[in-house]
Amino acid sequence: MATTTTGTGHLHPTTTWRSDPYTDALRTGRGPLFLRRDDGWLLPLDVERWCEAPDSADRSVLERCRGTVLDIGSGPGRLVAALAAEGRRALGIDISPEAVSHTERLGGTALCRSVFDPLPAEGRWDTALLIDGNAGIGGDPAALLRRLRQVVSHTGLVIAECAPVDVDERCEVRVDDGRGGRGGPFPWARVGTRALSAHAARAGWAVRESWTVADRPFLSLAPQSPAGSRF
């Protein structure tokens, strides 16, 4: 797998999610698709839901978005397109060209870019989204959230979806279609509500709200006040 090193020494994938299993799933709008660990453990990926209109849990996120919205790991773009349809300024970023193309076909705007790359309007986004497990991007939730302190405005929010179980795991995974097709290895993380709250505190965020819809838990994070900052 090709990787790029950020200024902090953090590694992120540049080609893995462009591999055929993920691209093929987005093109067809259906799975099966999994994240596979080397020990054979599989995490199903809900491609069908990603390619459909926002559901009730998604709408609970959209209702809490304010101002300009950056959807990190936006996938096929259902959230970006829904915001655009309401006349909201929203941008998706994803390292998969097929995901970006799918978003644009839905009427949304997206860039083929990693969150660890330079981004438009850094420090001025009002809301950043980490939905569908994307708090695991890069395999280090605290590092990801520290990066978002540079991306989101000092009064902005991060809305993150948590794993539906009490877990705090960092591992190496591959995209797997269950039929022999696999991508290259890359770092990933799975974090439940309690773990993500702890990582957020270490990265300078405070939990503003916690809620669950359709068994999908979410946190809304705001920058800590200067007195509570750990920087």
Short mmCIF file of all heavy atoms in Angstrom, two decimals, residues 56-98:
data_model
loop_
_atom_site.label_atom_id
_atom_site.label_comp_id
_atom_site.label_asym_id
_atom_site.label_seq_id
_atom_site.Cartn_x
_atom_site.Cartn_y
_atom_site.Cartn_z
N SER A 56 -33.07 7.79 8.99
CA SER A 56 -33.42 8.58 10.17
C SER A 56 -32.19 8.95 11.00
O SER A 56 -32.10 10.06 11.54
CB SER A 56 -34.44 7.82 11.03
OG SER A 56 -33.91 6.57 11.45
N ALA A 57 -31.23 8.03 11.12
CA ALA A 57 -30.01 8.34 11.86
C ALA A 57 -29.20 9.41 11.14
O ALA A 57 -28.68 10.34 11.78
CB ALA A 57 -29.17 7.07 12.05
N ASP A 58 -29.08 9.29 9.82
CA ASP A 58 -28.39 10.32 9.04
C ASP A 58 -29.06 11.68 9.21
O ASP A 58 -28.39 12.72 9.35
CB ASP A 58 -28.37 9.96 7.56
CG ASP A 58 -27.56 8.72 7.25
OD1 ASP A 58 -26.60 8.44 7.97
OD2 ASP A 58 -27.91 8.04 6.27
N ARG A 59 -30.39 11.69 9.19
CA ARG A 59 -31.11 12.97 9.30
C ARG A 59 -30.88 13.61 10.66
O ARG A 59 -30.85 14.85 10.78
CB ARG A 59 -32.59 12.76 9.04
CG ARG A 59 -32.90 12.47 7.57
CD ARG A 59 -34.39 12.61 7.27
NE ARG A 59 -35.17 11.59 7.97
CZ ARG A 59 -35.43 10.39 7.49
NH1 ARG A 59 -34.95 10.03 6.29
NH2 ARG A 59 -36.15 9.52 8.18
N SER A 60 -30.68 12.78 11.70
CA SER A 60 -30.37 13.36 13.01
C SER A 60 -29.04 14.10 12.98
O SER A 60 -28.84 15.07 13.72
CB SER A 60 -30.37 12.27 14.08
OG SER A 60 -29.18 11.50 14.07
N VAL A 61 -28.12 13.63 12.13
CA VAL A 61 -26.84 14.32 11.94
C VAL A 61 -27.04 15.60 11.14
O VAL A 61 -26.55 16.67 11.51
CB VAL A 61 -25.83 13.39 11.24
CG1 VAL A 61 -24.58 14.15 10.82
CG2 VAL A 61 -25.47 12.22 12.15
N LEU A 62 -27.76 15.49 10.03
CA LEU A 62 -27.96 16.65 9.16
C LEU A 62 -28.66 17.78 9.91
O LEU A 62 -28.35 18.96 9.70
CB LEU A 62 -28.78 16.24 7.94
CG LEU A 62 -28.11 15.22 7.01
CD1 LEU A 62 -29.07 14.80 5.91
CD2 LEU A 62 -26.82 15.76 6.42
N GLU A 63 -29.59 17.44 10.78
CA GLU A 63 -30.31 18.46 11.56
C GLU A 63 -29.38 19.22 12.51
O GLU A 63 -29.68 20.36 12.89
CB GLU A 63 -31.43 17.80 12.36
CG GLU A 63 -32.58 17.29 11.51
CD GLU A 63 -33.48 16.33 12.27
OE1 GLU A 63 -33.19 16.05 13.47
OE2 GLU A 63 -34.46 15.85 11.68
N ARG A 64 -28.29 18.59 12.90
CA ARG A 64 -27.36 19.22 13.85
C ARG A 64 -26.22 19.95 13.15
O ARG A 64 -25.43 20.63 13.82
CB ARG A 64 -26.81 18.16 14.81
CG ARG A 64 -27.85 17.68 15.81
CD ARG A 64 -27.38 16.43 16.54
NE ARG A 64 -28.22 16.08 17.69
CZ ARG A 64 -29.37 15.41 17.60
NH1 ARG A 64 -29.81 15.00 16.41
NH2 ARG A 64 -30.06 15.13 18.69
N CYS A 65 -26.10 19.80 11.84
CA CYS A 65 -25.05 20.52 11.11
C CYS A 65 -25.36 22.01 11.09
O CYS A 65 -26.51 22.41 10.94
CB CYS A 65 -24.96 20.01 9.67
SG CYS A 65 -24.31 18.35 9.48
N ARG A 66 -24.34 22.80 11.25
CA ARG A 66 -24.54 24.25 11.16
C ARG A 66 -23.48 24.85 10.25
O ARG A 66 -22.35 24.36 10.17
CB ARG A 66 -24.49 24.87 12.55
CG ARG A 66 -23.17 24.77 13.26
CD ARG A 66 -23.31 25.23 14.70
NE ARG A 66 -22.00 25.42 15.31
CZ ARG A 66 -21.81 25.56 16.61
NH1 ARG A 66 -22.85 25.52 17.43
NH2 ARG A 66 -20.59 25.76 17.10
N GLY A 67 -23.87 25.91 9.56
CA GLY A 67 -22.93 26.62 8.70
C GLY A 67 -22.37 25.74 7.60
O GLY A 67 -23.05 24.89 7.03
N THR A 68 -21.11 25.95 7.30
CA THR A 68 -20.42 25.18 6.27
C THR A 68 -20.03 23.81 6.81
O THR A 68 -19.63 23.68 7.97
CB THR A 68 -19.17 25.93 5.79
OG1 THR A 68 -18.31 26.18 6.92
CG2 THR A 68 -19.55 27.25 5.14
N VAL A 69 -20.17 22.79 5.96
CA VAL A 69 -20.00 21.41 6.42
C VAL A 69 -18.94 20.70 5.58
O VAL A 69 -19.01 20.71 4.35
CB VAL A 69 -21.33 20.65 6.34
CG1 VAL A 69 -21.15 19.21 6.85
CG2 VAL A 69 -22.42 21.36 7.13
N LEU A 70 -17.99 20.07 6.25
CA LEU A 70 -16.98 19.24 5.60
C LEU A 70 -17.24 17.79 6.01
O LEU A 70 -17.16 17.45 7.19
CB LEU A 70 -15.58 19.66 6.03
CG LEU A 70 -14.43 18.86 5.43
CD1 LEU A 70 -14.30 19.15 3.93
CD2 LEU A 70 -13.11 19.19 6.13
N ASP A 71 -17.56 16.93 5.03
CA ASP A 71 -17.81 15.51 5.29
C ASP A 71 -16.54 14.74 4.96
O ASP A 71 -16.14 14.64 3.80
CB ASP A 71 -18.99 15.03 4.43
CG ASP A 71 -19.41 13.61 4.78
OD1 ASP A 71 -18.80 13.00 5.68
OD2 ASP A 71 -20.36 13.11 4.15
N ILE A 72 -15.90 14.20 6.00
CA ILE A 72 -14.59 13.55 5.87
C ILE A 72 -14.81 12.06 5.64
O ILE A 72 -15.46 11.39 6.43
CB ILE A 72 -13.76 13.80 7.14
CG1 ILE A 72 -13.51 15.29 7.30
CG2 ILE A 72 -12.45 13.02 7.10
CD1 ILE A 72 -13.13 15.70 8.70
N GLY A 73 -14.25 11.56 4.54
CA GLY A 73 -14.52 10.18 4.13
C GLY A 73 -15.96 10.06 3.67
O GLY A 73 -16.69 9.17 4.08
N SER A 74 -16.36 10.95 2.77
CA SER A 74 -17.77 11.14 2.40
C SER A 74 -18.36 10.00 1.59
O SER A 74 -19.57 9.94 1.39
CB SER A 74 -17.94 12.45 1.64
OG SER A 74 -17.04 12.54 0.56
N GLY A 75 -17.51 9.08 1.10
CA GLY A 75 -18.03 7.94 0.36
C GLY A 75 -18.85 8.38 -0.84
O GLY A 75 -18.52 9.36 -1.51
N PRO A 76 -19.96 7.67 -1.14
CA PRO A 76 -20.74 8.01 -2.33
C PRO A 76 -21.56 9.28 -2.20
O PRO A 76 -22.27 9.66 -3.13
CB PRO A 76 -21.65 6.78 -2.51
CG PRO A 76 -21.68 6.11 -1.19
CD PRO A 76 -20.38 6.39 -0.52
N GLY A 77 -21.51 9.95 -1.05
CA GLY A 77 -21.96 11.34 -1.00
C GLY A 77 -23.39 11.61 -0.61
O GLY A 77 -23.89 12.70 -0.85
N ARG A 78 -24.06 10.68 0.07
CA ARG A 78 -25.47 10.92 0.37
C ARG A 78 -25.67 12.13 1.27
O ARG A 78 -26.65 12.87 1.10
CB ARG A 78 -26.09 9.67 1.00
CG ARG A 78 -25.64 9.37 2.41
CD ARG A 78 -26.14 8.02 2.93
NE ARG A 78 -25.86 7.82 4.35
CZ ARG A 78 -24.67 7.50 4.84
NH1 ARG A 78 -23.64 7.31 4.03
NH2 ARG A 78 -24.51 7.33 6.16
N LEU A 79 -24.77 12.36 2.23
CA LEU A 79 -24.94 13.47 3.15
C LEU A 79 -24.62 14.80 2.49
O LEU A 79 -25.34 15.79 2.66
CB LEU A 79 -24.07 13.27 4.40
CG LEU A 79 -24.33 11.99 5.20
CD1 LEU A 79 -23.43 11.94 6.42
CD2 LEU A 79 -25.79 11.88 5.61
N VAL A 80 -23.54 14.83 1.72
CA VAL A 80 -23.18 16.05 1.00
C VAL A 80 -24.28 16.44 0.03
O VAL A 80 -24.66 17.62 -0.07
CB VAL A 80 -21.84 15.85 0.26
CG1 VAL A 80 -21.53 17.04 -0.64
CG2 VAL A 80 -20.71 15.65 1.26
N ALA A 81 -24.81 15.46 -0.70
CA ALA A 81 -25.87 15.75 -1.67
C ALA A 81 -27.13 16.24 -0.98
O ALA A 81 -27.81 17.16 -1.48
CB ALA A 81 -26.16 14.51 -2.50
N ALA A 82 -27.47 15.65 0.17
CA ALA A 82 -28.66 16.09 0.90
C ALA A 82 -28.51 17.53 1.37
O ALA A 82 -29.45 18.33 1.30
CB ALA A 82 -28.92 15.16 2.07
N LEU A 83 -27.33 17.88 1.86
CA LEU A 83 -27.09 19.25 2.29
C LEU A 83 -27.14 20.21 1.10
O LEU A 83 -27.72 21.30 1.19
CB LEU A 83 -25.74 19.35 2.99
CG LEU A 83 -25.66 18.68 4.37
CD1 LEU A 83 -24.20 18.51 4.79
CD2 LEU A 83 -26.41 19.50 5.41
N ALA A 84 -26.54 19.81 -0.01
CA ALA A 84 -26.56 20.66 -1.20
C ALA A 84 -27.98 20.90 -1.69
O ALA A 84 -28.32 22.00 -2.13
CB ALA A 84 -25.71 20.03 -2.30
N ALA A 85 -28.82 19.88 -1.60
CA ALA A 85 -30.21 20.01 -2.03
C ALA A 85 -30.98 21.03 -1.19
O ALA A 85 -31.97 21.59 -1.64
CB ALA A 85 -30.91 18.66 -1.99
N GLU A 86 -30.51 21.25 0.03
CA GLU A 86 -31.12 22.25 0.92
C GLU A 86 -30.49 23.62 0.76
O GLU A 86 -30.82 24.54 1.50
CB GLU A 86 -30.99 21.79 2.37
CG GLU A 86 -31.71 20.49 2.69
CD GLU A 86 -31.46 20.02 4.11
OE1 GLU A 86 -30.69 20.71 4.83
OE2 GLU A 86 -32.03 19.00 4.51
N GLY A 87 -29.55 23.73 -0.19
CA GLY A 87 -28.88 25.00 -0.40
C GLY A 87 -27.76 25.27 0.59
O GLY A 87 -27.29 26.41 0.70
N ARG A 88 -27.30 24.23 1.28
CA ARG A 88 -26.22 24.39 2.27
C ARG A 88 -24.87 24.25 1.57
O ARG A 88 -24.73 23.49 0.60
CB ARG A 88 -26.35 23.32 3.35
CG ARG A 88 -27.72 23.22 3.99
CD ARG A 88 -27.91 24.22 5.08
NE ARG A 88 -26.98 24.03 6.17
CZ ARG A 88 -27.17 23.14 7.17
NH1 ARG A 88 -28.27 22.38 7.18
NH2 ARG A 88 -26.29 23.04 8.14
N ARG A 89 -23.86 24.94 2.09
CA ARG A 89 -22.51 24.80 1.56
C ARG A 89 -21.86 23.59 2.21
O ARG A 89 -21.63 23.57 3.42
CB ARG A 89 -21.68 26.05 1.84
CG ARG A 89 -20.27 25.95 1.23
CD ARG A 89 -19.39 27.11 1.63
NE ARG A 89 -18.00 26.82 1.29
CZ ARG A 89 -16.97 27.47 1.79
NH1 ARG A 89 -17.16 28.45 2.67
NH2 ARG A 89 -15.75 27.15 1.44
N ALA A 90 -21.59 22.57 1.41
CA ALA A 90 -21.01 21.33 1.93
C ALA A 90 -20.00 20.79 0.94
O ALA A 90 -20.18 20.89 -0.28
CB ALA A 90 -22.11 20.29 2.17
N LEU A 91 -18.94 20.21 1.47
CA LEU A 91 -17.89 19.61 0.66
C LEU A 91 -17.57 18.24 1.22
O LEU A 91 -17.39 18.08 2.43
CB LEU A 91 -16.63 20.48 0.68
CG LEU A 91 -15.39 19.90 -0.02
CD1 LEU A 91 -15.60 19.84 -1.53
CD2 LEU A 91 -14.14 20.72 0.33
N GLY A 92 -17.49 17.25 0.35
CA GLY A 92 -17.03 15.94 0.75
C GLY A 92 -15.58 15.75 0.35
O GLY A 92 -15.15 16.27 -0.69
N ILE A 93 -14.83 15.02 1.16
CA ILE A 93 -13.48 14.61 0.77
C ILE A 93 -13.39 13.11 0.94
O ILE A 93 -13.88 12.53 1.91
CB ILE A 93 -12.36 15.32 1.56
CG1 ILE A 93 -12.51 15.09 3.07
CG2 ILE A 93 -12.34 16.81 1.23
CD1 ILE A 93 -11.30 15.57 3.87
N ASP A 94 -12.78 12.46 -0.04
CA ASP A 94 -12.62 11.01 -0.02
C ASP A 94 -11.44 10.66 -0.91
O ASP A 94 -11.22 11.33 -1.94
CB ASP A 94 -13.89 10.32 -0.54
CG ASP A 94 -14.00 8.88 -0.07
OD1 ASP A 94 -13.21 8.03 -0.56
OD2 ASP A 94 -14.86 8.59 0.78
N ILE A 95 -10.67 9.64 -0.54
CA ILE A 95 -9.51 9.28 -1.35
C ILE A 95 -9.87 8.34 -2.49
O ILE A 95 -9.00 7.95 -3.26
CB ILE A 95 -8.37 8.69 -0.49
CG1 ILE A 95 -8.82 7.40 0.19
CG2 ILE A 95 -7.88 9.70 0.52
CD1 ILE A 95 -7.67 6.67 0.89
N SER A 96 -11.15 8.00 -2.63
CA SER A 96 -11.60 7.16 -3.73
C SER A 96 -12.15 8.02 -4.87
O SER A 96 -13.15 8.72 -4.69
CB SER A 96 -12.70 6.20 -3.26
OG SER A 96 -13.42 5.67 -4.35
N PRO A 97 -11.55 7.97 -6.07
CA PRO A 97 -12.10 8.72 -7.20
C PRO A 97 -13.53 8.32 -7.52
O PRO A 97 -14.35 9.18 -7.92
CB PRO A 97 -11.15 8.38 -8.35
CG PRO A 97 -9.87 8.01 -7.69
CD PRO A 97 -10.27 7.32 -6.42
N GLU A 98 -13.87 7.05 -7.36
CA GLU A 98 -15.24 6.61 -7.64
C GLU A 98 -16.21 7.24 -6.65
O GLU A 98 -17.33 7.62 -7.03
CB GLU A 98 -15.33 5.09 -7.59
CG GLU A 98 -16.73 4.55 -7.88
CD GLU A 98 -17.26 4.92 -9.25
OE1 GLU A 98 -16.46 5.09 -10.19
OE2 GLU A 98 -18.50 5.04 -9.39
#
